[in-house]
């Protein structure tokens, strides 16, 4: 064989070996993200939850900060106590810490320590729900909540519709007697006031005397102003009263919003006092001019009763103790509540209905997620928390961190602004 052939054979053998080498090349791949199926499903679920709560919270922010200045209730106006909100915030933050301890103890097969940490987390969740139930109960006791199927007790404006519904509640209590029935000529005076039937007094109704007094010195006074006194808002040069301010002052007796309406109420009461004094001085001349017209005389007599009753109330209100700068929820609703009465009078709280709806919607959904978390924590309480359970604890912990994060957004929105 020639030298050329030997070289060719050697070259062919080398090519064959080279091809064999490429044909048996093995490529090994490693997982970029070694995540188990359970964690993947959890993240997919949390992504939908994030979008859900982002929509709710975003809507609330638009409603809250899009409302006209001064028309959204402050936390204390709607019985939202930042102290309880702060306590609940620290409870959830601490529970996030204990659930991490549970996971670490489970990974190390420290079953007893993991069980203790899990129990603390579970108790923190229960404490959070307990405080929320206490807050909810306080709002329902004061009527700060939506009322499906019926008219809410929260009124956006203090107007004649508010006055109508307020009087309907007051006169609906057994034993409350309208002022007309107490005047000298009850029959003639009652004809001047709608719904002035004499009810049978009943000492079994808590707060009946308080409501009757309120009806006499405030509600029927507001009716008199709306029906017979010129509205200076419509005619500034007229000798009368601003009807809107009078109704707001009436609403402040039921449920005071001191930071917003304190000065307006004080000025309105001063104006009412001057008007009453001037009107009482004018009544004798009107009685003389009426002569023997019994209808006019009866109307003037009833008007005098209304004016003097309101004057007595205004004299009681002008005392130094009433001039403080602090919020006072010493309104009529609180007084009735302290007396054990089940009556809750309609309240004038601008944007109150929107607040109540959004508050119970967002915190209610969050509380529902807390309950789900507690259910997920309840199962491992009966297990031996060894290393094989670490994945479950980790996934439940991630869900719990999400619940805590949502509350971090809700807390400042509802309790601080």
């Amino acid at each position: 064989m020639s030298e050329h052939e030997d070289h060719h054979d050697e070259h062919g053998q080398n090519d064959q070996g080279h091809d064999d080498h490429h044909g048996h090349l093995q490529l090994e791949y490693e997982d970029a993200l070694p995540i188990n199926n359970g964690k993947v499903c959890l993240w997919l679920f949390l992504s939908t939850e994030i979008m859900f709560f982002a929509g709710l919270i975003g809507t609330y922010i638009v409603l809250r900060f899009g409302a006209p200045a001064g028309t959204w209730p402050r936390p204390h106006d709607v019985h939202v106590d930042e102290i309880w909100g702060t306590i609940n915030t620290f409870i959830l933050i601490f529970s996030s810490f204990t659930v991490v301890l549970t996971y670490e103890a489970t990974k190390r097969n420290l079953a007893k320590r993991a069980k203790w940490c899990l129990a603390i987390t579970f108790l923190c969740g229960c404490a959070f729900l307990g405080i929320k139930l206490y807050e909810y109960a306080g709002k329902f006791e004061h009527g700060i909540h939506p009322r499906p199927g019926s008219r809410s007790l929260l009124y956006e404006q203090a107007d004649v519709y508010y006055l109508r519904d307020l009087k309907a509640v007051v006169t609906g209590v057994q034993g409350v007697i309208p002022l007309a029935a107490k005047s000298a000529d009850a029959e003639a005076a009652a004809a001047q006031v709608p719904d002035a039937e004499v009810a049978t007094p009943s000492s079994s109704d808590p707060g009946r005397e308080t409501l009757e007094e309120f009806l006499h010195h405030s509600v029927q006074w507001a009716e008199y102003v709306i029906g017979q006194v010129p509205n200076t808002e419509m005619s500034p040069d007229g000798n009368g009263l601003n009807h809107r301010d009078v109704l707001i002052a009436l609403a402040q007796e039921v449920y005071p919003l001191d930071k917003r309406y304190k000065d307006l109420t004080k000025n309105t009461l001063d104006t009412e006092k001057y008007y009453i004094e001037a009107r009482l001085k004018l009544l004798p001349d009107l009685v003389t001019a009426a002569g023997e017209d019994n209808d006019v005389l009866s109307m003037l007599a009833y008007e005098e009763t209304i004016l003097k009753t309101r004057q007595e109330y205004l004299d009681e209100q002008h005392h130094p103790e009433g001039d403080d700068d602090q919020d006072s929820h010493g309104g009529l609703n609180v007084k009735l509540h302290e007396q054990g009465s089940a009556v809750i009078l309609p309240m004038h709280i601008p944007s109150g209905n929107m607040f109540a709806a959004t508050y119970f919607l967002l915190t209610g959904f969050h509380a529902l997620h807390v309950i789900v978390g507690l259910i997920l924590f309840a199962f491992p309480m009966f297990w031996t928390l060894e290393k094989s359970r670490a994945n479950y604890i980790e996934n439940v912990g991630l869900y719990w961190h999400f619940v805590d994060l949502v509350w971090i957004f809700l807390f400042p929105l509802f309790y601080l602004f």
Side-chain angles (χ1 to χ4, degrees):
M1 183 179 291
S2 68
E3 222 175 276
H4 176 73
E5 290 176 345
D6 290 341
H7 178 72
H8 179 75
D9 290 343
E10 184 180 351
H11 181 73
Q13 289 176 359
N14 289 338
D15 288 344
Q16 184 178 1
H18 185 69
D19 291 340
D20 291 342
H21 175 72
H22 279 286
H24 292 85
L25 181 63
Q26 299 293 329
L27 298 178
E28 294 183 2
Y29 295 93
E30 292 185 2
D31 294 335
L33 292 174
I35 302 177
N36 56 59
N37 293 336
K39 188 178 293 186
V40 172
C41 293
L42 177 66
W43 278 113
L44 289 175
F45 169 73
L46 290 182
S47 65
T48 63
E49 291 294 285
I50 290 171
M51 290 186 288
F52 174 71
F53 274 102
L56 289 179
I57 294 174
T59 301
Y60 175 80
I61 291 175
V62 171
L63 293 173
R64 164 65 181 86
F65 296 100
T71 61
W72 194 267
R74 297 166 56 253
H76 284 188
D77 294 342
V78 284
H79 290 275
V80 172
D81 193 342
E82 63 272 11
I83 297 299
W84 291 116
T86 303
I87 293 174
N88 259 350
T89 302
F90 279 106
I91 286 175
L92 283 187
I93 292 175
F94 181 71
S95 69
S96 286
F97 172 69
T98 56
V99 78
V100 171
L101 295 181
T102 304
Y103 172 63
E104 292 297 327
T106 304
K107 283 200 308 182
R108 299 177 185 179
N109 280 323
L110 302 176
K112 187 175 181 180
R113 180 185 296 180
K115 190 66 68 69
W116 273 107
C117 293
L118 183 63
I120 294 174
T121 305
F122 185 85
L123 291 176
C124 285
C126 292
F128 177 88
L129 288 180
I131 292 176
K132 289 309 300 177
L133 289 176
Y134 172 78
E135 290 186 286
Y136 283 174
K139 289 173 180 57
F140 273 84
E141 287 177 358
H142 294 91
I144 312 293
H145 60 85
R147 297 182 68 184
S150 62
R151 181 68 171 85
S152 171
L153 293 173
L154 309 177
Y155 285 69
E156 304 294 326
Q157 297 181 355
D159 51 19
V160 292
Y161 301 105
Y162 171 77
L163 177 61
R164 178 198 63 190
D165 294 344
L166 180 63
K167 184 181 178 182
V169 175
V170 175
T171 56
V173 177
Q174 184 182 9
V176 173
I177 305 174
L179 185 61
K182 291 179 174 292
S183 63
D185 190 353
E187 183 177 356
Q192 310 302 321
V193 183
D195 305 323
E197 298 84 1
V198 179
T200 304
S202 173
S203 58
S204 62
D205 296 326
R208 179 187 61 82
E209 293 182 359
T210 301
L211 289 171
E212 184 176 295
E213 182 181 356
F214 175 63
L215 175 65
H216 295 169
H217 65 57
S218 296
V219 177
Q220 292 186 307
W221 158 255
E223 282 188 318
Y224 161 76
V225 170
I226 299 300
Q228 299 187 38
V229 178
N231 186 0
T232 55
E233 186 177 16
M234 301 299 180
S235 178
D237 297 332
N239 182 20
L241 296 169
N242 187 308
H243 290 187
R244 171 183 170 275
D245 292 348
V246 169
L247 291 174
I248 289 177
L250 172 69
Q252 294 309 291
E253 293 183 49
V254 176
Y255 194 85
L257 305 177
D258 288 341
K259 290 293 185 182
R260 182 174 303 169
Y261 294 118
K262 182 176 181 179
D263 292 338
L264 182 147
T265 301
K266 183 178 183 301
N267 293 335
T268 301
L269 296 183
D270 290 338
T271 305
E272 288 180 1
K273 189 172 183 179
Y274 296 140
Y275 175 84
I276 291 172
E277 292 175 353
R279 187 65 180 175
L280 286 175
K281 292 178 180 178
L282 185 61
L283 282 182
D285 295 336
L286 296 176
V287 171
T288 302
E292 298 181 359
D293 191 334
N294 291 329
D295 291 337
V296 175
L297 291 175
S298 297
M299 292 178 61
L300 293 175
Y302 178 67
E303 181 181 0
E304 183 180 11
T305 303
I306 290 285
L307 293 170
K308 288 184 176 180
T309 303
R310 182 64 175 178
Q311 188 178 50
E312 292 175 2
Y313 169 75
L314 295 177
D315 290 339
E316 294 175 359
Q317 297 306 304
H318 284 72
H319 51 81
E321 292 82 2
D323 297 331
D324 57 347
D325 292 330
Q326 307 210 351
D327 281 345
S328 66
H329 277 302
L332 192 59
N333 270 347
V334 172
K335 186 175 181 180
L336 291 172
H337 180 69
E338 293 173 349
Q339 293 175 350
S341 175
V343 176
I344 303 177
L345 298 177
M347 294 159 282
H348 170 228
I349 304 179
S351 299
N353 283 302
M354 185 61 71
F355 167 84
T358 53
Y359 173 84
F360 281 98
L361 179 66
L362 269 71
T363 60
F365 270 119
H366 179 263
L368 184 62
H369 283 70
V370 173
I371 293 174
V372 172
L374 292 180
I375 294 174
L376 296 176
F377 284 138
F379 292 111
M381 298 293 292
F382 303 96
W383 300 344
T384 299
L385 296 181
E386 54 192 12
K387 190 174 182 179
S388 60
R389 304 290 189 179
N391 284 337
Y392 179 89
I393 297 298
E394 182 183 15
N395 290 337
V396 176
L398 287 174
Y399 171 81
W400 194 250
H401 292 327
F402 166 76
V403 173
D404 295 354
L405 184 62
V406 171
W407 179 254
I408 295 300
F409 284 95
L410 296 182
F411 168 66
L413 288 176
F414 285 113
Y415 289 83
L416 301 182
F417 296 105

